[in-house]
Amino acid sequence: MIAGDIFDNEYDAIYEPDRVADLLAGLKSRYGTYACYGNHDLDEKILAGFTFETKEERIADRRFGEFLDRAKIHLLEDDVVCIDDAFYLAGRKDPDRIRKTQETRDTPSELLTGLDQSLPVFVIDHQPSELTELAEAGADLDLGGHTHDGQLFPGNILTGLMWENACGMKKVGDMYSIVTSGVGLWGPPMRIGTKAEVVIIDYGK
């Protein structure tokens, strides 16, 4: 599961995109690879890694979706799938991205209503927000990213003040929130006092 920010604001920043997509398509997974979009999964002008606000409506680059199709990554945009009759997986739209594209997104209750609550409900949501609302709507696990764990010290201290769960695992109601610092970067191409990571969740019976 990939919790957003798959791209870095412009498709042409990908070196040999077809080759990268084919490599990703080779990932071996019992149930497949799923993702949601993040706030940087939108074609925007950047300067030194930073984007700037504009009143113009942004239009998503169709090549992002074509890349994911070739990479065999299933994109969930306010969608819920039942996998192997064993669990649900929901993917949310990113609030910053839809604000720029002038779309809407479902609330947690709208997204998760009508599900068989006897099955586990997993959610991928780029920004670790609305955790209480997701828990109350019946989510058992919410997977996010976005914060980079601050990326540069003392940013990790600041993100800890800004987000209910800025990095790591936290229980919210009956739901677990897991937020990864991710493998990518934002702004300066460096990390100080934080680590890049791919999270492995090992559920022991």
Side-chain angles (χ1 to χ4, degrees), residues 92-126:
R92 301 193 71 193
K93 294 181 179 180
D94 180 78
D96 289 341
R97 187 177 186 276
I98 65 164
R99 175 172 50 81
K100 295 174 182 178
T101 58
Q102 298 185 11
E103 300 175 62
T104 60
R105 78 167 181 166
D106 290 344
T107 65
S109 60
E110 289 171 337
L111 182 63
L112 303 182
T113 189
L115 303 185
D116 179 358
Q117 293 295 330
S118 69
L119 297 179
V121 178
F122 304 150
V123 178
I124 44 177
D125 190 2
H126 178 62

Coordinates of all heavy atoms in Angstrom, one line a residue, residues 92-126:
R92 N -8.6 7.3 0.3 CA -9.2 8.6 0.3 C -8.5 9.6 -0.7 O -7.3 9.5 -1.0 CB -9.2 9.2 1.7 CG -9.9 8.4 2.7 CD -10.1 9.1 4.0 NE -11.1 10.2 3.8 CZ -11.3 11.2 4.7 NH1 -10.6 11.3 5.8 NH2 -12.3 12.0 4.5
K93 N -9.3 10.5 -1.2 CA -8.7 11.7 -1.9 C -8.0 12.6 -1.0 O -8.3 12.7 0.2 CB -9.8 12.5 -2.6 CG -10.5 11.7 -3.8 CD -11.6 12.6 -4.4 CE -12.3 11.9 -5.5 NZ -13.3 12.7 -6.2
D94 N -6.9 13.2 -1.5 CA -6.2 14.2 -0.6 C -6.9 15.5 -0.6 O -7.2 16.1 -1.6 CB -4.8 14.3 -1.2 CG -3.9 15.3 -0.3 OD1 -3.5 14.9 0.8 OD2 -3.8 16.4 -0.7
P95 N -7.0 16.1 0.6 CA -7.7 17.4 0.8 C -7.1 18.6 0.0 O -7.8 19.4 -0.5 CB -7.8 17.6 2.3 CG -6.7 16.8 2.8 CD -6.6 15.6 2.0
D96 N -5.7 18.6 0.0 CA -5.1 19.7 -0.6 C -5.1 19.5 -2.2 O -5.3 20.5 -2.9 CB -3.6 19.8 -0.2 CG -3.4 20.2 1.2 OD1 -4.4 20.9 1.7 OD2 -2.4 20.0 1.8
R97 N -5.0 18.3 -2.6 CA -5.1 18.1 -4.0 C -6.4 18.4 -4.6 O -6.5 19.0 -5.7 CB -4.7 16.6 -4.3 CG -4.6 16.3 -5.8 CD -4.1 14.8 -6.0 NE -3.9 14.5 -7.4 CZ -4.8 14.2 -8.3 NH1 -6.1 14.1 -7.9 NH2 -4.4 13.9 -9.5
I98 N -7.5 18.0 -3.9 CA -8.9 18.3 -4.5 C -9.2 19.7 -4.4 O -10.0 20.2 -5.2 CB -9.9 17.4 -3.8 CG1 -10.1 17.8 -2.3 CG2 -9.6 15.9 -3.9 CD1 -11.3 17.3 -1.7
R99 N -8.6 20.4 -3.4 CA -8.9 21.9 -3.4 C -8.3 22.6 -4.6 O -8.9 23.5 -5.2 CB -8.2 22.5 -2.1 CG -8.3 24.0 -2.0 CD -7.8 24.4 -0.7 NE -6.5 23.9 -0.3 CZ -5.3 24.3 -0.8 NH1 -5.3 25.4 -1.6 NH2 -4.2 23.8 -0.4
K100 N -7.2 22.1 -5.1 CA -6.6 22.7 -6.3 C -7.3 22.2 -7.6 O -7.3 23.0 -8.6 CB -5.1 22.3 -6.4 CG -4.3 22.9 -5.2 CD -2.9 22.4 -5.2 CE -2.1 23.0 -4.0 NZ -0.7 22.5 -4.0
T101 N -7.8 21.0 -7.6 CA -8.5 20.5 -8.8 C -10.0 20.8 -8.7 O -10.7 20.4 -9.7 CB -8.3 19.0 -9.0 OG1 -8.7 18.3 -7.8 CG2 -6.8 18.7 -9.2
Q102 N -10.4 21.4 -7.6 CA -11.8 21.7 -7.4 C -12.7 20.5 -7.4 O -13.9 20.5 -8.0 CB -12.3 22.8 -8.4 CG -11.5 24.1 -8.3 CD -12.0 25.2 -9.2 OE1 -13.0 25.1 -9.8 NE2 -11.2 26.3 -9.3
E103 N -12.3 19.4 -6.8 CA -13.1 18.2 -6.7 C -13.6 18.2 -5.2 O -13.4 19.2 -4.5 CB -12.2 17.0 -6.9 CG -11.6 16.8 -8.3 CD -10.7 15.6 -8.3 OE1 -11.2 14.5 -8.2 OE2 -9.5 15.8 -8.5
T104 N -14.4 17.2 -4.9 CA -14.8 17.0 -3.5 C -14.4 15.6 -3.1 O -13.9 14.8 -3.9 CB -16.4 17.0 -3.5 OG1 -16.9 16.0 -4.3 CG2 -16.9 18.4 -3.9
R105 N -14.4 15.4 -1.7 CA -14.1 14.1 -1.3 C -15.1 13.7 -0.2 O -15.7 14.5 0.5 CB -12.7 14.0 -0.7 CG -12.4 14.5 0.7 CD -11.1 14.1 1.1 NE -10.8 14.5 2.5 CZ -9.8 14.1 3.2 NH1 -9.0 13.1 2.8 NH2 -9.6 14.6 4.4
D106 N -15.3 12.4 0.0 CA -16.3 11.8 1.0 C -15.7 12.1 2.4 O -14.5 12.1 2.6 CB -16.5 10.3 0.8 CG -17.3 10.0 -0.5 OD1 -17.9 10.9 -1.1 OD2 -17.2 8.9 -0.9
T107 N -16.7 12.3 3.3 CA -16.3 12.2 4.7 C -16.0 10.8 5.1 O -16.4 9.8 4.4 CB -17.5 12.8 5.6 OG1 -18.6 11.9 5.5 CG2 -17.9 14.2 5.1
P108 N -15.4 10.5 6.2 CA -15.2 9.2 6.6 C -16.4 8.3 6.7 O -16.5 7.2 6.3 CB -14.5 9.3 8.0 CG -13.7 10.6 7.9 CD -14.6 11.5 7.1
S109 N -17.5 8.9 7.3 CA -18.8 8.2 7.4 C -19.4 7.9 6.0 O -19.9 6.8 5.8 CB -19.8 8.9 8.3 OG -20.1 10.2 7.7
E110 N -19.3 8.8 5.1 CA -19.8 8.6 3.7 C -19.0 7.5 3.0 O -19.6 6.7 2.3 CB -19.7 9.9 2.9 CG -20.7 11.0 3.3 CD -20.5 12.3 2.6 OE1 -19.3 12.6 2.2 OE2 -21.4 13.1 2.6
L111 N -17.7 7.5 3.2 CA -16.9 6.5 2.5 C -17.1 5.1 3.1 O -17.1 4.1 2.3 CB -15.4 6.9 2.7 CG -14.4 6.0 2.0 CD1 -14.5 6.0 0.5 CD2 -12.9 6.5 2.4
L112 N -17.3 5.0 4.4 CA -17.3 3.7 5.0 C -18.7 3.2 5.4 O -18.8 2.1 6.0 CB -16.4 3.7 6.3 CG -14.9 4.1 6.1 CD1 -14.2 4.1 7.4 CD2 -14.2 3.2 5.0
T113 N -19.7 3.9 5.0 CA -21.0 3.5 5.4 C -21.4 2.2 4.7 O -21.0 2.0 3.5 CB -22.1 4.6 5.1 OG1 -23.3 4.2 5.6 CG2 -22.2 4.8 3.6
G114 N -22.2 1.3 5.3 CA -22.7 0.1 4.7 C -21.8 -1.0 4.6 O -22.1 -2.1 4.0
L115 N -20.6 -0.9 5.2 CA -19.7 -2.1 5.2 C -20.0 -3.1 6.3 O -20.6 -2.8 7.3 CB -18.2 -1.5 5.4 CG -17.7 -0.5 4.4 CD1 -16.3 -0.2 4.7 CD2 -17.9 -0.9 3.0
D116 N -19.6 -4.3 6.0 CA -19.8 -5.4 7.0 C -18.7 -5.2 8.1 O -17.5 -5.5 7.9 CB -19.6 -6.7 6.3 CG -19.8 -7.9 7.3 OD1 -19.9 -7.7 8.5 OD2 -19.6 -9.1 6.8
Q117 N -19.1 -4.7 9.2 CA -18.2 -4.3 10.3 C -17.6 -5.6 10.9 O -16.7 -5.4 11.8 CB -18.8 -3.4 11.3 CG -19.2 -2.1 10.8 CD -18.0 -1.2 10.4 OE1 -16.9 -1.4 11.0 NE2 -18.2 -0.4 9.4
S118 N -18.0 -6.8 10.6 CA -17.3 -8.0 11.1 C -16.0 -8.2 10.4 O -15.2 -9.0 10.9 CB -18.2 -9.2 10.9 OG -18.4 -9.6 9.6
L119 N -15.8 -7.5 9.3 CA -14.5 -7.6 8.5 C -13.6 -6.4 8.9 O -14.1 -5.3 9.1 CB -14.7 -7.7 7.0 CG -15.5 -8.8 6.5 CD1 -15.7 -8.7 4.9 CD2 -14.9 -10.2 6.8
P120 N -12.3 -6.6 8.9 CA -11.4 -5.5 9.2 C -11.5 -4.4 8.1 O -11.7 -4.8 6.9 CB -10.0 -6.1 9.1 CG -10.2 -7.6 9.4 CD -11.6 -7.9 8.8
V121 N -11.4 -3.2 8.5 CA -11.5 -2.1 7.5 C -10.2 -1.3 7.6 O -9.9 -0.7 8.6 CB -12.7 -1.1 7.9 CG1 -12.8 0.1 6.9 CG2 -14.0 -1.9 7.9
F122 N -9.5 -1.3 6.5 CA -8.2 -0.6 6.4 C -8.4 0.6 5.5 O -9.1 0.6 4.5 CB -7.1 -1.5 5.8 CG -6.9 -2.8 6.5 CD1 -6.5 -3.9 5.9 CD2 -7.1 -2.9 7.9 CE1 -6.3 -5.1 6.6 CE2 -6.9 -4.0 8.6 CZ -6.5 -5.2 7.9
V123 N -7.7 1.7 5.8 CA -7.9 3.0 5.0 C -6.5 3.5 4.7 O -5.6 3.4 5.6 CB -8.6 4.0 5.8 CG1 -8.7 5.4 5.0 CG2 -10.0 3.6 6.2
I124 N -6.2 3.9 3.5 CA -5.0 4.7 3.2 C -5.4 6.1 2.9 O -6.3 6.4 2.1 CB -4.2 4.0 2.0 CG1 -5.1 3.6 0.8 CG2 -3.4 2.9 2.4 CD1 -4.4 3.1 -0.4
D125 N -4.8 7.0 3.6 CA -5.2 8.4 3.5 C -3.9 9.2 3.7 O -3.2 9.1 4.7 CB -6.1 8.8 4.7 CG -6.7 10.2 4.5 OD1 -6.5 10.9 3.5 OD2 -7.5 10.5 5.4
H126 N -3.5 9.9 2.6 CA -2.1 10.5 2.6 C -1.8 11.4 3.9 O -0.8 11.2 4.5 CB -1.9 11.4 1.4 CG -0.6 12.1 1.3 ND1 0.6 11.4 1.2 CD2 -0.3 13.4 1.3 CE1 1.6 12.2 1.2 NE2 1.1 13.5 1.2

